[in-house]
């Protein structure tokens, strides 16, 4: 195997890993949005629309803070008693669920 072949293989693996990471994050954000929608008493299309808002909020800046701020603000506005710590734990929990789902597709 030549150096160029190894370099291409490494680049392909990196690209694949990045795509999987993106899919996991989008899936986690959808699950988080649906979970938060329940707490906000949203159902059906309204819950799906809210989940899409949560997904879209992740494109504001790198990392999870933009999603956290959006969901936390929405829950606080609706007088749902939840701490930032608890919300972060839920995000971590749902990331694992999303990762498992993406890997088994």
């Amino acid at each position: 195997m030549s150096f160029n072949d190894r370099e291409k293989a490494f680049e392909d693996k990196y690209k694949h890993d990045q795509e999987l990471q993106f899919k996991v994050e989008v899936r986690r954000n959808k699950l988080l949005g649906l979970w938060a929608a329940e707490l906000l008493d949203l159902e059906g299309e309204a819950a799906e629309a809210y989940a899409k808002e949560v997904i879209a909020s992740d494109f504001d800046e790198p990392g999870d803070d933009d999603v956290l701020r959006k969901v936390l603000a929405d829950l606080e506005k609706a007088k749902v008693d939840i701490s930032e710590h608890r919300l972060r734990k839920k995000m971590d929990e749902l990331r694992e669920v999303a990762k498992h789902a993406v890997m088994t597709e």
Side-chain angles (χ1 to χ4, degrees):
M1 187 178 228
S2 74
F3 177 75
N4 288 339
D5 292 338
R6 285 187 288 167
E7 183 178 27
K8 172 120 174 64
F10 179 76
E11 288 171 358
D12 289 346
K13 182 183 180 330
Y14 179 79
K15 180 181 175 187
H16 176 73
D17 291 349
Q18 292 298 306
E19 288 172 359
L20 283 177
Q21 177 78 19
F22 178 76
K23 287 179 182 180
V24 168
E25 293 301 314
V26 169
R27 179 77 55 95
R28 188 274 319 262
N29 291 340
K30 180 176 183 178
L31 293 172
L32 180 67
L34 293 173
W35 173 80
E38 279 186 47
L39 297 176
L40 296 168
D41 293 324
L42 300 174
E43 297 177 356
E45 288 182 22
E48 288 291 329
Y50 182 74
K52 287 178 183 177
E53 287 178 28
V54 173
I55 292 168
S57 73
D58 195 23
F59 300 117
D60 291 344
E61 62 187 47
D64 293 337
D65 289 344
D66 44 1
V67 174
L68 178 87
R69 277 193 305 273
K70 190 238 183 317
V71 174
L72 191 58
D74 292 343
L75 292 174
E76 287 175 349
K77 183 178 177 184
K79 305 284 190 245
V80 175
D81 184 28
I82 189 165
S83 67
E84 180 179 331
H85 175 74
R86 184 170 160 223
L87 183 54
R88 282 191 188 275
K89 284 188 66 123
K90 188 65 174 181
M91 290 172 73
D92 291 342
E93 176 186 314
L94 292 174
R95 179 178 285 113
E96 291 305 312
V97 171
K99 184 177 181 181
H100 178 71
V102 167
M103 296 304 217
T104 58
E105 288 181 337

